[in-house]
Amino acid sequence: RALPRSAGARGAMAHLDAVAGKEGGEAARHPASALNLTVLGFLDSPLWIDIDPLSETSVGLRERIRRLSNLVNLTQAYGQRCRAETPPEQMHLCAFGEHRLRYLESPFFLIQNQLDSYQLMVNGARPYDPANGTDPAVEGLRVELRLRTRSAAGTVDRQTPSGIFSPACERHCVSFSSENFWKVSANGTRLVEALRQWFLEVGVYHDEPRRGHEDVANEAPHHLWADTCPGAVECGGGCNRHSNDHHKKGQTGQKAAGGQKVGKAMVRIGGVVNRIRPGFACVNMDWWPKTKCDYGVCPWGESSVLTLDLDMPSLRTTLKALGPKVKLRVGGSLSDLITYKVYQDDDVPCKDFVPTHSTRIGFSHEGSCLTWKRWLELYSLCEQVDCEMIFMVNALKGRRLANPCPEGTDCRVADKHRPCCSSFAGEWNSTNARMFLTKVAASGQKLFGLEYGNEILDNKGIQAHLPPALYARGFLELANIVEELWPDRSLRPKLMGPNNAFQAEAETDLLRRVNGKIDILTHHMYTLGAGSSSKASTFMLTPTKLDRLWDKTRAAKAIAGDVEMWVGEAGGAYNSGSQGNSDAFIDGFWYNHDMGITAAGGYSTFCRQTFIGGNYGLVRLEHQDPTKEPSERNTSKLVPNPDFYSTVLWTHLVGDRALELGFDKSFMNFDGSHSFNALNHTKNEGISSGSEITLRGFAFCTRTVDSYNPRPFEINTSEGDVTLLLLNYDSSTSVDVAISNPLMRLTTRIEYHLTSDSMQSKDIFVNGHPLEMEDNNVPNLFEKGVPKSSSDPLRVNPYSVLFVHYIGLKH
C-alpha cells in the first residue's frame, strides 16, 4: 500500500489518470466511471524540480530518473499525453514531477513545500544557517527551488480541477502529522481550509461549464495557495523552523534585533504639486451577483447592490469610519444592464442576472432591475453615514449589437475584440433614465455625481466599443436631462465619464465633442493585471513596476487639461482581484503606492474597487461555514480587511494638497558595499539599491478639523500640519529617514506603523496593536498612534507602511 506522500505521491501522480480511466491500456478496461466512482488525487511532496546539484560529483534527481528509465520499463508510468508530446531522448522527464504536472487531467490536490528538505539535501543546499554567514551558491539554489516550485504550479492544465498548496516551509512532507493540517498555512490559508475548499468546489463544479471573467470561461476550478514572501529561508506560517520575524505577531516590519541592516535616507518636502479632494479616497459598491465567478472561485456572495443586507450595524459603522462626505460610487459592469422600476409595483421581484458565455461580461443582456424601494434603502444608508453618492447610469439602453454572433459563440475567450460580441450600435434610449432621475430630483435627493456607462468607450471598452462620437451624443443627452431637472448648478450632480481605461486619442476626441460638459474625467486602473496571474502578488512588492503609473498620470493630465480627473475604479487585479492577496496585508503596498502617485500626479480622488465584494473588498462578510445549513451561517457582520485601515488613515490625515517629495542623495551604505540613489519621486524614482532596499514616499497637507465635522475619531490637527506616507518594500532592511526641512526636523509627530504577521495575512497591526472590530465598532487606530519628539529617529521598518503626522507646522 503506497501512501500519498513522497515516493508514494510520485507513484500516484504517474498512475492517477490511468486509474481514473482517462488513458488506454489495462486500467482503461475497468475505468472508475463504470463503477460510478470519482477518482481524486491527494499528492504530498511529489514535485521534483529539475535543478542541478551544487557538487559535480553528486547525482541529481534528473539523472537518477534517467538511469532508472534505462533499467526499468516506465512506459505505462509516463502517461499518454506526455509520451506524445515529449521527445524520445527526454522521455524520462515524464516521470519527473515538474514536467509531468502539466499533463494531469484528473482532479488532484497537491502539497509541495517550496524549500523541500529532501531536494535541498540531495542538491547540497542543507544545512543552511544565515546567522553564521551564507554561501551565495547555496542561497541561490534555495531561492531557485522556491521560484521554480511556484512556477510549476502555473503549468497545470486549466481544464483540470486542481488545488496546489505550497507553503514556504523547509520540510519534506506535511500530511504525516494531523497537527500540520491545522497549523501550516500558505498565502494566509491553513491546509485544512484549503483542502476543504478545493474538495467542496470540485464537487460543485467538476464537469460543469465555468462562468468566469475575461478569457477563463472554460477553466475548471483551479486554486493556488502559495507563499510569496522572499528569501532563502522558510517564511511560511506554521513552519516552526528558522522562524523569522515576519511571523511574529504584528512584526512584518519590526526586526530591531542586533545585526539588523539599516539604510539612511534624506527626504525633502517641497511645495504643492496637485490639488485634491480632502481625504482623497472613495469606495465602490458593485452589482455583481453571487454567480459571478473567476478562476473557479465565486467571491461575491451577497455583496451585490441588489442583495446586500443594508441593515447590518457593521455596514454603517465601517462606512461611517471613513469620515463624513466620503464618496460612495454605485456602479460597475452590470450598470449597463439595469432597468429602473420607478413607478411599477415594487412587490414584483426583479429577475436575477443570468450567467451566459454569449456576452463579454458573462451575463445576459436582459440584466436585472433596481426598484424604487431598493433605491430609497441605498439612499437612506448614505444619509445615515453622511456619504455622498455617485450613481452610474445605464448607457446601453436601446442599443443593439450590430452583427450578433452565431449561436454558440463563446464571447468570454481570449479574443477580447471579437466584433460580434461587443459592437453595439444605435442611439441611447434615455426614457428609463429620465424617469428615474426625474423622481430623484422631485424627491429632493442629492447626488454628488452621475457616471455614464461602464467601460464602453472605443478600443479599451469591455462590454462595448462605442466610438467617441456615439458615446458623446448619449453623454450630451444625459447632460441636457440633468440641466433640465437641476436648474440650480449648485445642486446639480456632476457629470462623470468615460469610466474606462485611459486612451489618449479617444478621450481627446470625446472632450472636443462634449464641449466642456464633462465635469470629472474618470479612469479605471488595474495595474497588477489579471487576478489569476501569479505575478499579481510579485508586482505588489515591485515598486519599479508600480512606478510606471507616473507615465500614465502625466499622459492623462496632458489630455485632461483643466478638467478634474478621478481614478473612478481601481482594484489592483481585475476579475475580482487576486485570491489570498487582494484581501491581505500585501495588497496595501500597491494600494498606497498607486494612491500616492495619482494624488501627486494630477488626480483628485481615488475610488477603491470595492468597499465590499470580490477578493478586493475593503471589508468582507464574516466567514461562512459551508458545512452548515444556510440558516445557521453567520453572514450578518462585516470584517475589515487590512486596506480598510489604510483608507481610514487617508480619509482622516490627508488634506486637499499633495506636496512635492524628493529623496536627496545623502545616504549611508548599510554594509559598506551598496550605494543608494534616489531622486524626486516625480521622476519615477524612489530610494533603491538593486534588490537591497526600496523606499517610496509621498507628502500632503494634513486634513484639518474645520474641513469636516463631526469626525468619527478625535484627532488633533491644525492648519499647516503635514502628513507623510512612507512604504518600505524591502524584507530585511530598515530605513532611517531624515527630513531636510528645518521646521519639520524640530517639530513633534505621531507615527502609525502598519504591519502584519505575514504578507498574506488578513490581520493588521498599528504600532504592534491588533486592529479588530468589537461589537460592530471600528477600533480607533488614532488612539494607538505613537508620539515622537524631534530627537527620535524616524525609522521605516521592513515590509511596512508608515503614516506620519507632523504637528504644529505653519507655512
Side-chain angles (χ1 to χ4, degrees), residues 435-750:
M435 290 174 59
F436 173 71
L437 294 176
T438 297
K439 193 165 184 178
V440 169
S443 301
Q445 297 167 0
K446 297 180 181 180
L447 296 176
F448 177 85
L450 290 170
E451 293 186 310
Y452 184 67
N454 188 82
E455 297 174 351
I456 60 174
L457 175 67
D458 213 55
N459 292 331
K460 290 191 177 180
I462 302 296
Q463 184 170 204
H465 300 286
L466 302 185
L470 189 57
Y471 181 93
R473 288 201 295 272
F475 190 94
L476 288 172
E477 186 170 352
L478 175 63
N480 290 335
I481 293 171
V482 170
E483 290 173 6
E484 175 188 331
L485 296 177
W486 284 277
D488 186 342
R489 178 180 288 273
S490 66
L491 301 177
R492 188 180 301 165
K494 297 183 182 301
L495 294 176
M496 307 169 71
N499 318 306
N500 218 85
F502 171 67
Q503 41 192 338
E505 185 175 346
E507 288 185 25
T508 300
D509 189 6
L510 175 63
L511 288 171
R512 177 180 60 82
R513 291 177 183 274
V514 297
N515 193 28
K517 296 295 184 179
I518 287 184
D519 297 308
I520 299 176
L521 195 66
T522 56
H523 298 135
H524 293 185
M525 297 180 181
Y526 289 88
T527 53
L528 304 176
S532 63
S533 173
S534 59
K535 294 181 179 179
S537 59
T538 301
F539 288 160
M540 289 176 181
L541 296 176
T542 309
T544 51
K545 159 71 176 176
L546 301 175
D547 285 342
R548 299 175 190 175
L549 186 56
W550 281 113
D551 292 331
K552 293 182 180 179
T553 60
R554 293 193 191 96
K557 185 63 178 174
I559 297 298
D562 294 332
V563 179
E564 183 178 356
M565 293 196 307
W566 282 29
V567 178
E569 182 180 305
Y574 59 80
N575 293 350
S576 301
S578 175
Q579 186 187 17
N581 294 303
S582 293
D583 55 357
F585 180 69
I586 190 174
D587 199 68
F589 287 86
W590 81 262
Y591 179 45
N592 285 288
H593 188 281
D594 278 21
M595 289 183 79
I597 287 180
T598 51
Y603 289 84
S604 66
T605 300
F606 187 105
C607 296
R608 170 64 181 246
Q609 175 77 353
T610 60
F611 178 72
I612 180 173
N615 295 307
Y616 40 35
L618 292 180
V619 299
R620 65 186 187 275
L621 284 169
E622 194 168 63
H623 178 66
Q624 303 179 46
D625 187 345
T627 65
K628 293 183 178 181
E629 293 298 321
S631 60
E632 298 176 349
R633 299 176 188 173
N634 182 4
T635 61
S636 60
K637 181 180 179 180
L638 298 184
V639 178
N641 288 321
D643 283 351
F644 173 82
Y645 293 104
S646 286
T647 309
V648 170
L649 287 164
W650 274 89
T651 57
H652 290 273
L653 291 181
V654 173
D656 61 356
R657 286 159 289 177
L659 305 176
E660 180 186 16
L661 183 145
F663 291 98
D664 293 330
K665 294 183 178 180
S666 304
F667 307 107
M668 186 173 74
N669 301 345
F670 60 78
D671 62 1
S673 61
H674 299 279
S675 61
F676 296 88
N677 277 322
L679 301 176
N680 188 306
H681 69 201
T682 59
K683 297 181 180 178
N684 286 6
E685 299 180 52
I687 168 175
S688 62
S689 174
S691 61
E692 295 295 340
I693 183 170
T694 309
L695 185 72
R696 294 296 185 268
F698 307 93
F700 310 92
C701 292
T702 301
R703 192 170 188 177
T704 61
V705 174
D706 293 338
S707 65
Y708 68 117
N709 277 303
R711 280 187 159 187
F713 306 110
E714 288 298 324
I715 315 169
N716 181 24
T717 62
S718 58
E719 187 68 28
D721 291 3
V722 169
T723 295
L724 186 62
L725 168 62
L726 297 167
L727 301 101
N728 188 352
Y729 291 83
D730 194 272
S731 63
S732 60
T733 304
S734 296
V735 184
D736 282 349
V737 178
I739 306 296
S740 65
N741 305 61
L743 262 178
M744 293 180 68
R745 287 206 309 266
L746 299 175
T747 191
T748 58
R749 64 184 188 272
I750 300 177

Side-chain angles (χ1 to χ4, degrees), residues 384-460:
Q384 292 174 43
V385 301
D386 197 17
C387 72
E388 295 183 308
M389 187 178 291
I390 300 162
F391 187 78
M392 180 171 281
V393 174
N394 181 344
L396 291 183
K397 198 73 171 177
R399 306 185 198 271
R400 296 290 183 268
L401 290 170
N403 297 294
C405 298
E407 186 174 352
T409 300
D410 188 348
C411 290
R412 307 299 310 285
V413 296
D415 183 4
K416 299 180 181 179
H417 303 299
R418 185 176 290 171
C420 65
C421 293
S422 55
S423 57
F424 277 83
E427 299 298 327
W428 180 48
N429 185 339
S430 63
T431 302
N432 188 234
R434 174 183 281 275
M435 290 174 59
F436 173 71
L437 294 176
T438 297
K439 193 165 184 178
V440 169
S443 301
Q445 297 167 0
K446 297 180 181 180
L447 296 176
F448 177 85
L450 290 170
E451 293 186 310
Y452 184 67
N454 188 82
E455 297 174 351
I456 60 174
L457 175 67
D458 213 55
N459 292 331
K460 290 191 177 180

